[in-house]
Amino acid sequence: MGRKVKDTLAKGIIYLATGITLSVLLFIVGFIFVKGIGLVNWKFLTRDYNETVSYVFVQAAEVPMSIDADNLKKENPYDARYESLIDGPIYIKSIGAAIAKVQYRNNYTEKEQFVIAYIEKNSPLLNAKDSTGKNVDIKTDDIIKRINGINLKNLTLQEAAAQIDNESGELKIKVVQPGGGVKSNIITTLYMVLLSLVIAIPLGIFGAIYLTEYAKPGKFVNTIRFAAECLSGIPSIIFGLFGMAFFVVALKFQISLLSGSLTVAIILLPVIIRSTEEALKTVPTSFREGSLALGATKLQTIFKVVLPCAVPGIATAVLLSIGRVVGESAALLLTAGTVAQIPGTFLSPGSTLTVQAYYVAKEEGNIELACAIGIVIIVIVIVLNVLSRFASDKLDVFNKK
Amino acid sequence: MDKKIKFDAKNLDLFYGDFQALKSINLNIYEKEVTAFIGPSGCGKSTFLRCLNRMNDLIESVRINGEILFDGQDINGDIDVINLRTRVGMVFQKPNPFPMSIYENIAYGPKCQGLKDKTKLDTIVQESLTKAALWEEVKNRLNKSALGLSGGQQQRLCIARTIAMQPEVILMDEPTSALDPIATAKIEDLMFKLKKDYTIIIVTHSMQQAGRISDKTAFFLMGEVVEFNETPLIFTNPADKRTEDYITGRFG
Ligand SMILES: Nc1ncnc2c1ncn2[C@@H]1O[C@H](COP(=O)(O)OP(=O)(O)O)[C@@H](O)[C@H]1O
Ligand SMILES: [Mg+2]
């Protein structure tokens, strides 16, 4: 009888604990999703964070509209997060495009703006160039500020349209391409993952090979192992400080993609070494003996037999590492910076999604945007996980019977 | 008999740290014969076998005194271990095919020696598998993983893999102890055929097996070779009391 009660009690506690854990998890993910999902759309993913202002040159033409007026009304390129339609759109032949007046709000201001609502297939806007002759990609929802030096600010939609239609020859248009997106952060994140893995994985694997296959067991190996274990326990801000002092300042790599990925690579090394070591240790001695008995050298044995067997374990390490890089904020804040841009070179700064989430939440107080970025992070982590799991299954030599 | 001596062990001692596993072994292994090592487990059969292709190099604590001459050359002296192992192949107790295709398993050894020519490799694969009596069973699945084979097939694959190196000697450490009787019979048949071309040394737990396949038998006990002679003599007329006790099942 007593035992039965104890059993039931224990069971209850187990269920309760599981339930609590699960609901906390669901609550957090749910919270992020509910808060942020309203901001996540295609434009959010494909736009830069900062708006870009540019002057473009366009050859005025006479382009008739190919759709009828009702369909023009149905065009809806406006970003619901920032814009609501006030008037229009009206089609303008000289630029082969329609403009509309919208109420536009960004983080700081609320203004009426003229935005491009529709672009004809043979519109001269599609051949827009900047002053250096480079092509500028004009899209719908871009804001038109000025035409040939005339500010459109205080005009009605009809006046603005007439103004644009009146001009001929080469038009100089001031265009603002709206920001608010995380494209650069997504790309920076992927760069960061790629670069730090490219640095850390070979180093980690060779380190693990040395420790398991070459080093004589003893004090030295134990010291290295202990050091690696300690390293994995140190909070990443410490690595960030080191990275800042060493890579950024001493080696003059500046706050950059390179400094960031080197710092993260150091954070990853212990994890990769440990899991690769474990993976190498589980490869049966009989494979090593079999290979050596066939006259293979030690190096051949390691690279042709032992390492391929260890691939699933190494893949797990890669998986964990990807999670670490995507999730890293403190160290990257100090070494790769908070500039939301696609790093043009290894030495340019760029903020990853996580850093960007921190930045918009802390510096701009924009929790919704931070949550929206959170959703992107969660999705990226899930996708990368699925991908590497798939890859490790494909590469698992024991799977192919 | 004026057969050539392949291996000549002279006063061989082997220590695992402080533990002496082999005590002053003196043994001649003759060419193109099957020599069987029998004895209770832990008596040093595997240890001695692994001396012959320097497999004990892998074990940190091993120390060796005395010498083993292979074709007159001391293998613990200044020789190329890789070369020794290509001449002295080994088949292990548990089948250990690599987790690769059947083809790659056989081609592994030659490839490690630097052979890249595809047609030569193809020939080696087919010849080795044929010699190991496995070709007919696997010729249609050469590119499938070797792990999909049955235990007996895996062991014949390991023999084929060894043959692919064209060794002079094949060492076998209880090659059938993990196999069922039918698979065992196939391997024994195979050894019969192989003995024409190779010197075979086999460790076995089963005295029947030693009796069936070997020409000479060495009886090991506690790190010593108690008796070494023609197999029929060992089994019908052992010189040593301890050998008699063992083969009549009175101990071990
Ligand atoms: N790697 C090793 N380290 C220490 N002792 C070992 C090792 N391998 C075998 N031995 C010992 O050496 C003796 C002989 O072992 P082994 O040659 O495997 O015997 P057998 O093959 O005849 O059963 C045993 O007492 C065993 O415990
Ligand atoms: Mg043994």
Side-chain angles (χ1 to χ4, degrees):
Chain A
M1 192 58 204
R3 199 161 73 172
K4 211 170 174 185
V5 173
K6 259 193 211 158
D7 268 12
T8 322
L9 212 67
K11 236 193 215 163
I13 292 174
I14 291 169
Y15 286 156
L16 197 69
T18 317
I20 290 176
T21 318
L22 244 141
S23 28
V24 168
L25 198 72
L26 280 178
F27 178 74
I28 294 174
V29 174
F31 175 83
I32 299 281
F33 264 86
V34 170
K35 270 269 191 203
I37 198 74
L39 294 184
V40 178
N41 57 28
W42 186 243
K43 285 186 173 137
F44 175 68
L45 297 176
T46 52
R47 278 183 175 169
D48 281 336
Y49 181 66
N50 299 306
E51 53 182 34
T52 44
V53 181
S54 47
Y55 286 92
V56 301
F57 296 91
V58 169
Q59 204 59 43
E62 279 283 314
V63 183
M65 183 163 67
S66 65
I67 57 174
D68 58 40
D70 279 347
N71 282 342
L72 182 61
K73 281 244 158 8
K74 285 188 203 135
E75 291 290 329
N76 185 13
Y78 321 109
D79 190 337
R81 298 175 296 157
Y82 304 113
E83 300 164 65
S84 37
L85 184 65
I86 303 174
D87 196 4
I90 293 182
Y91 187 78
I92 305 165
K93 279 192 181 141
S94 68
I95 56 170
I99 63 169
K101 191 168 207 181
V102 298
Q103 183 71 31
Y104 199 94
R105 51 183 193 287
N106 63 18
N107 292 327
Y108 313 106
T109 55
E110 202 153 316
K111 275 191 213 142
E112 292 182 351
Q113 303 279 16
F114 297 107
V115 300
I116 300 174
Y118 168 74
I119 302 178
E120 268 298 345
K121 276 179 226 43
N122 49 352
S123 158
L125 285 183
L126 298 176
N127 294 318
K129 309 231 187 301
D130 67 8
S131 55
T132 64
K134 232 172 63 194
N135 277 323
V136 178
D137 196 11
I138 304 275
K139 301 193 204 68
T140 55
D141 206 30
D142 287 356
I143 300 167
I144 294 189
K145 289 276 204 189
R146 286 166 176 267
I147 180 131
N148 284 352
I150 301 156
N151 197 334
L152 303 175
K153 196 161 127 195
N154 293 319
L155 305 182
T156 65
L157 179 64
Q158 283 70 23
E159 287 166 349
Q163 187 67 55
I164 297 171
D165 223 5
N166 266 344
E167 305 289 329
S168 60
E170 192 179 56
L171 310 179
K172 182 184 177 195
I173 308 175
K174 181 182 181 186
V175 182
V176 175
Q177 303 192 301
V182 291
K183 178 175 97 183
S184 66
N185 307 109
I186 293 177
I187 292 175
T188 307
T189 306
L190 295 180
Y191 279 175
M192 197 65 82
V193 168
L194 219 71
L195 199 56
S196 51
L197 288 185
V198 162
I199 299 166
I201 286 181
L203 279 180
I205 290 180
F206 284 116
I209 288 178
Y210 172 75
L211 287 179
T212 43
E213 311 284 333
Y214 283 97
K216 294 207 168 79
K219 262 213 185 101
F220 179 63
V221 172
N222 288 341
T223 312
I224 293 186
R225 223 167 258 148
F226 180 69
E229 228 141 274
C230 287
L231 278 185
S232 59
I234 292 175
S236 58
I237 184 74
I238 308 282
F239 290 101
L241 291 171
F242 165 78
M244 191 150 133
F246 188 65
F247 297 127
V248 177
V249 179
L251 294 183
K252 298 200 174 63
F253 289 164
Q254 293 143 328
I255 298 231
S256 64
L257 185 61
L258 185 61
S259 301
S261 46
L262 284 169
T263 309
V264 179
I266 294 179
I267 298 177
L268 298 183
L269 264 181
V271 183
I272 295 179
I273 291 182
R274 285 299 294 171
S275 6
T276 307
E277 241 193 303
E278 290 309 317
L280 292 176
K281 275 190 203 148
T282 58
V283 178
T285 326
S286 65
F287 286 162
R288 292 186 176 84
E289 289 187 337
S291 168
L292 292 171
L294 285 169
T297 63
K298 185 163 182 173
L299 211 62
Q300 286 172 329
T301 301
I302 291 171
F303 279 94
K304 292 181 165 199
V305 176
V306 180
L307 260 190
C309 291
V311 160
I314 296 173
T316 313
V318 173
L319 214 95
L320 290 173
S321 307
I322 292 175
R324 268 310 274 273
V325 186
V326 174
E328 188 52 61
S329 54
L332 288 177
L333 209 59
L334 297 179
T335 52
T338 55
V339 188
Q341 65 167 22
I342 299 171
T345 67
F346 288 130
L347 292 180
S348 357
S351 59
T352 62
L353 285 163
T354 320
V355 172
Q356 182 71 358
Y358 164 84
Y359 183 79
V360 296
K362 183 78 174 68
E363 301 294 321
E364 295 178 0
N366 194 341
I367 301 291
E368 277 80 13
L369 187 53
C371 285
I373 297 173
I375 295 175
V376 179
I377 295 175
I378 292 173
V379 171
I380 287 188
V381 168
I382 292 174
V383 168
L384 290 179
N385 267 290
V386 171
L387 277 183
S388 26
R389 197 142 297 210
F390 180 75
S392 100
D393 275 357
K394 279 268 165 246
L395 292 174
D396 187 350
V397 286
F398 296 101
N399 257 347
K400 299 178 199 147
K401 287 234 164 152
Chain B
M1 287 277 264
D2 52 353
K3 278 205 164 163
K4 198 180 143 208
I5 294 177
K6 202 70 188 163
F7 276 112
D8 183 1
K10 291 181 175 169
N11 295 319
L12 187 79
D13 295 322
L14 184 144
F15 300 84
Y16 289 114
D18 292 333
F19 172 72
Q20 184 166 11
L22 296 178
K23 295 167 192 161
S24 191
I25 306 277
N26 286 289
L27 206 60
N28 292 336
I29 311 277
Y30 292 88
E31 196 177 51
K32 303 210 171 143
E33 280 189 354
V34 177
T35 305
F37 295 169
I38 60 170
S41 72
C43 65
K45 307 180 296 288
S46 300
T47 301
F48 181 67
L49 195 71
R50 290 163 60 92
C51 286
L52 301 179
N53 66 346
R54 297 248 321 243
M55 223 45 188
N56 286 325
D57 287 11
L58 307 186
I59 301 164
E60 205 66 47
S61 62
V62 165
R63 231 166 10 91
I64 292 174
N65 296 329
E67 57 183 12
I68 300 174
L69 303 181
F70 175 51
D71 283 347
Q73 199 181 15
D74 184 9
I75 62 167
N76 290 313
D78 186 21
I79 57 129
D80 179 3
V81 183
I82 303 291
N83 178 41
L84 172 73
R85 288 182 186 148
T86 60
R87 294 170 64 192
V88 183
M90 186 169 215
V91 176
F92 296 81
Q93 186 165 356
K94 240 183 87 209
N96 59 348
F98 304 132
M100 335 167 164
S101 71
I102 293 169
Y103 183 98
E104 287 300 328
N105 261 281
I106 309 286
Y108 180 84
K111 274 188 177 173
C112 281
Q113 297 306 313
L115 182 63
K116 291 202 182 76
D117 187 334
K118 178 89 171 76
T119 39
K120 275 191 196 148
L121 285 172
D122 286 349
T123 320
I124 290 176
V125 169
Q126 178 165 1
E127 275 177 5
S128 314
L129 285 170
T130 309
K131 275 192 186 168
L134 192 59
W135 174 251
E136 285 305 318
E137 289 161 67
V138 301
K139 65 181 177 193
N140 293 324
R141 49 190 289 201
L142 290 176
N143 291 319
K144 293 268 162 60
S145 169
L147 302 182
L149 297 173
S150 73
Q153 287 173 324
Q154 288 190 359
Q155 196 61 301
R156 274 179 283 150
L157 179 76
C158 291
I159 293 173
R161 189 169 76 176
T162 306
I163 292 173
M165 296 305 295
Q166 297 174 309
E168 295 155 43
V169 183
I170 302 177
L171 311 174
M172 299 188 177
D173 193 351
E174 304 193 31
T176 59
S177 66
L179 305 181
D180 62 66
I182 295 172
T184 300
K186 278 192 184 155
I187 301 242
E188 286 182 9
D189 278 351
L190 180 57
M191 277 188 263
F192 238 91
K193 285 191 210 121
L194 292 178
K195 133 177 154 175
K196 279 200 299 293
D197 302 317
Y198 307 95
T199 306
I200 296 177
I201 307 172
I202 177 172
V203 172
T204 174
H205 240 89
S206 140
M207 275 168 288
Q208 289 86 340
Q209 187 169 58
R212 277 195 301 269
I213 59 173
S214 70
D215 302 298
K216 293 211 171 59
T217 297
F219 172 55
F220 279 69
L221 188 63
M222 291 169 56
E224 291 177 76
V225 176
V226 171
E227 194 167 348
F228 176 55
N229 214 331
E230 304 285 333
T231 300
L233 277 175
I234 289 266
F235 281 96
T236 54
N237 190 13
D240 196 294
K241 177 80 169 54
R242 291 170 294 176
T243 316
E244 188 179 344
D245 286 348
Y246 182 71
I247 57 175
T248 51
R250 245 171 280 165
F251 82 80

